[in-house]
Amino acid sequence: MIKLIIGLGNPGDKYVETRHNVGFMAVDALAKAKGISSFQKKFNGEYATYVCDQEKVYLLKPQTYMNLSGECIRPFMDYFKIQKDEILVLYDDLDTPLGRLRLRETGSSGGHNGIKSVILHIGNQDFCRIRIGIGRPTVGTIVDYVLSPFDLKEKADVGQVIDRCVQAIEDLEKKTFSDVMNIYNQKRA
């Protein structure tokens, strides 16, 4: 069972609506769906809880900046006695088209510095994740692209993929990760 859902992103108003913060956006949307209105602070992160099948589920947004995300996650896991097979990490992915999700049970960082930090601090790459597609830039640098906000045309797709991410997480409350992965990794109609 998933006990810790982690959204990766950067803290601060400057980054709120940026592509690199879709992990935070997904956690915020899930919190809203669960009726959560506020987060607490611990281990340089913001967290909230809800109950599923009589088990506490934690939502976590590391406030360490993307490249140091693992520095918040590891002590949080240790304190609440959460194992690596009980976490789910939500983050932006350049190699997944905008509007698509890719669920994986394990894998490398794929060059994503936030995931590199998570792997470093939890000790391996065997944890569940949902990659939220932001697509690749057609002009400019990767850094400028991920740290820029979605344009007006993209906002509808972003809203829909965040909604699909929340639905996938809610499906994980009733189904296996493999079953949910088979549903959500399919191309959109």
Side-chain angles (χ1 to χ4, degrees):
M1 178 179 171
I2 300 297
K3 293 184 180 176
L4 174 59
I5 300 166
I6 305 153
L8 300 187
N10 287 311
D13 292 341
K14 176 180 176 182
Y15 301 105
V16 169
E17 297 287 324
T18 64
R19 291 173 175 86
H20 226 15
N21 273 32
V22 295
F24 279 8
M25 293 175 200
V27 164
D28 288 340
L30 180 61
K32 183 177 179 183
K34 298 295 184 184
I36 297 167
S37 58
S38 65
F39 282 72
Q40 301 173 50
K41 295 185 184 308
K42 193 171 208 68
F43 302 116
N44 211 3
E46 294 180 356
Y47 80 100
T49 61
Y50 68 93
V51 176
C52 177
D53 293 334
Q54 301 176 347
E55 292 276 349
K56 264 190 183 178
V57 178
Y58 297 89
L59 304 178
L60 178 64
K61 297 186 293 184
Q63 300 296 294
T64 52
Y65 289 93
M66 180 67 78
N67 296 356
L68 303 174
S69 297
E71 291 179 8
C72 165
I73 296 167
R74 177 80 262 172
F76 193 93
M77 289 173 63
D78 291 345
Y79 183 82
F80 289 107
K81 297 177 177 40
I82 297 168
Q83 304 303 310
K84 67 176 172 45
D85 63 346
E86 298 172 324
I87 71 170
L88 174 65
V89 181
L90 316 175
Y91 64 100
D92 61 291
D93 184 43
L94 289 162
D95 294 322
T96 302
L98 180 66
R100 294 272 316 275
L101 297 177
R102 299 297 293 170
L103 285 73
R104 292 284 181 257
E105 294 181 276
T106 187
S108 71
S109 70
H112 192 286
N113 289 329
I115 294 297
K116 283 181 189 175
S117 179
V118 175
I119 290 169
L120 175 70
H121 287 274
I122 70 167
N124 68 44
Q125 59 191 23
D126 298 329
F127 56 87
C128 294
R129 67 223 37 213
I130 298 179
R131 298 177 351 204
I132 303 167
I134 62 169
R136 286 200 169 266
T138 54
V139 296
T141 68
I142 298 287
V143 171
D144 289 341
Y145 179 74
V146 299
L147 295 179
S148 66
F150 292 100
D151 65 35
L152 286 176
K153 287 187 329 192
E154 297 169 321
K155 285 190 177 185
D157 285 338
V158 172
Q160 289 175 358
V161 78
I162 296 293
D163 290 346
R164 280 179 50 82
C165 186
V166 168
Q167 185 59 57
I169 293 166
E170 290 180 335
D171 286 352
L172 283 170
E173 295 171 359
K174 304 178 257 344
K175 300 175 183 171
T176 67
F177 193 87
S178 180
D179 288 342
V180 174
M181 185 168 63
N182 287 334
I183 295 166
Y184 287 88
N185 285 354
Q186 299 299 315
K187 292 188 179 186
R188 290 186 307 172

mmCIF file of all heavy atoms in Angstrom, residues 93-101 132-135:
data_model
loop_
_atom_site.group_PDB
_atom_site.id
_atom_site.type_symbol
_atom_site.label_atom_id
_atom_site.label_comp_id
_atom_site.label_asym_id
_atom_site.label_seq_id
_atom_site.Cartn_x
_atom_site.Cartn_y
_atom_site.Cartn_z
ATOM 1 N N ASP A 93 8.080 15.237 -16.526
ATOM 2 C CA ASP A 93 8.927 14.430 -17.403
ATOM 3 C C ASP A 93 8.944 15.020 -18.809
ATOM 4 O O ASP A 93 7.901 15.143 -19.456
ATOM 5 C CB ASP A 93 8.420 12.986 -17.445
ATOM 6 C CG ASP A 93 9.313 12.084 -18.263
ATOM 7 O OD1 ASP A 93 10.547 12.186 -18.138
ATOM 8 O OD2 ASP A 93 8.781 11.274 -19.042
ATOM 9 N N LEU A 94 10.137 15.369 -19.253
ATOM 10 C CA LEU A 94 10.335 15.930 -20.592
ATOM 11 C C LEU A 94 10.061 14.916 -21.701
ATOM 12 O O LEU A 94 9.659 15.286 -22.804
ATOM 13 C CB LEU A 94 11.780 16.422 -20.745
ATOM 14 C CG LEU A 94 12.177 17.662 -19.969
ATOM 15 C CD1 LEU A 94 13.693 17.761 -19.861
ATOM 16 C CD2 LEU A 94 11.599 18.900 -20.618
ATOM 17 N N ASP A 95 10.306 13.632 -21.431
ATOM 18 C CA ASP A 95 10.194 12.605 -22.464
ATOM 19 C C ASP A 95 8.784 12.038 -22.602
ATOM 20 O O ASP A 95 8.553 11.164 -23.434
ATOM 21 C CB ASP A 95 11.193 11.478 -22.195
ATOM 22 C CG ASP A 95 12.632 11.968 -22.342
ATOM 23 O OD1 ASP A 95 12.881 12.783 -23.252
ATOM 24 O OD2 ASP A 95 13.484 11.558 -21.543
ATOM 25 N N THR A 96 7.874 12.536 -21.802
ATOM 26 C CA THR A 96 6.466 12.146 -21.910
ATOM 27 C C THR A 96 5.712 13.357 -22.460
ATOM 28 O O THR A 96 5.873 14.465 -21.953
ATOM 29 C CB THR A 96 5.916 11.728 -20.527
ATOM 30 O OG1 THR A 96 6.699 10.645 -20.021
ATOM 31 C CG2 THR A 96 4.463 11.297 -20.619
ATOM 32 N N PRO A 97 4.923 13.150 -23.513
ATOM 33 C CA PRO A 97 4.217 14.288 -24.116
ATOM 34 C C PRO A 97 3.290 14.981 -23.118
ATOM 35 O O PRO A 97 2.738 14.338 -22.218
ATOM 36 C CB PRO A 97 3.415 13.653 -25.250
ATOM 37 C CG PRO A 97 4.076 12.347 -25.532
ATOM 38 C CD PRO A 97 4.665 11.895 -24.229
ATOM 39 N N LEU A 98 3.115 16.271 -23.301
ATOM 40 C CA LEU A 98 2.199 17.048 -22.478
ATOM 41 C C LEU A 98 0.822 16.391 -22.487
ATOM 42 O O LEU A 98 0.306 16.022 -23.540
ATOM 43 C CB LEU A 98 2.097 18.478 -23.019
ATOM 44 C CG LEU A 98 1.165 19.414 -22.252
ATOM 45 C CD1 LEU A 98 1.706 19.666 -20.855
ATOM 46 C CD2 LEU A 98 0.994 20.722 -22.996
ATOM 47 N N GLY A 99 0.258 16.217 -21.312
ATOM 48 C CA GLY A 99 -1.068 15.624 -21.206
ATOM 49 C C GLY A 99 -1.069 14.125 -20.961
ATOM 50 O O GLY A 99 -2.132 13.529 -20.814
ATOM 51 N N ARG A 100 0.091 13.500 -20.905
ATOM 52 C CA ARG A 100 0.184 12.041 -20.692
ATOM 53 C C ARG A 100 0.817 11.739 -19.348
ATOM 54 O O ARG A 100 1.610 12.520 -18.819
ATOM 55 C CB ARG A 100 1.061 11.397 -21.777
ATOM 56 C CG ARG A 100 0.524 11.440 -23.182
ATOM 57 C CD ARG A 100 -0.379 10.280 -23.565
ATOM 58 N NE ARG A 100 0.098 8.977 -23.153
ATOM 59 C CZ ARG A 100 0.954 8.223 -23.847
ATOM 60 N NH1 ARG A 100 1.447 8.642 -24.981
ATOM 61 N NH2 ARG A 100 1.309 7.049 -23.389
ATOM 62 N N LEU A 101 0.487 10.569 -18.807
ATOM 63 C CA LEU A 101 1.112 10.036 -17.601
ATOM 64 C C LEU A 101 1.882 8.786 -17.963
ATOM 65 O O LEU A 101 1.494 8.053 -18.869
ATOM 66 C CB LEU A 101 0.050 9.632 -16.569
ATOM 67 C CG LEU A 101 -0.856 10.695 -15.993
ATOM 68 C CD1 LEU A 101 -1.879 10.056 -15.058
ATOM 69 C CD2 LEU A 101 -0.061 11.750 -15.246
ATOM 70 N N ILE A 132 4.686 12.884 -15.048
ATOM 71 C CA ILE A 132 3.661 13.742 -15.623
ATOM 72 C C ILE A 132 4.280 14.471 -16.810
ATOM 73 O O ILE A 132 5.217 15.250 -16.651
ATOM 74 C CB ILE A 132 3.123 14.733 -14.571
ATOM 75 C CG1 ILE A 132 2.588 13.964 -13.350
ATOM 76 C CG2 ILE A 132 2.069 15.640 -15.183
ATOM 77 C CD1 ILE A 132 2.316 14.835 -12.146
ATOM 78 N N GLY A 133 3.761 14.195 -17.985
ATOM 79 C CA GLY A 133 4.359 14.726 -19.201
ATOM 80 C C GLY A 133 4.257 16.227 -19.345
ATOM 81 O O GLY A 133 3.190 16.804 -19.168
ATOM 82 N N ILE A 134 5.411 16.825 -19.655
ATOM 83 C CA ILE A 134 5.443 18.255 -19.981
ATOM 84 C C ILE A 134 5.996 18.470 -21.390
ATOM 85 O O ILE A 134 6.014 19.593 -21.877
ATOM 86 C CB ILE A 134 6.263 19.074 -18.950
ATOM 87 C CG1 ILE A 134 7.725 18.634 -18.906
ATOM 88 C CG2 ILE A 134 5.613 19.010 -17.577
ATOM 89 C CD1 ILE A 134 8.642 19.570 -18.117
ATOM 90 N N GLY A 135 6.444 17.392 -22.048
ATOM 91 C CA GLY A 135 7.004 17.503 -23.388
ATOM 92 C C GLY A 135 8.341 18.225 -23.397
ATOM 93 O O GLY A 135 8.797 18.708 -22.371
#
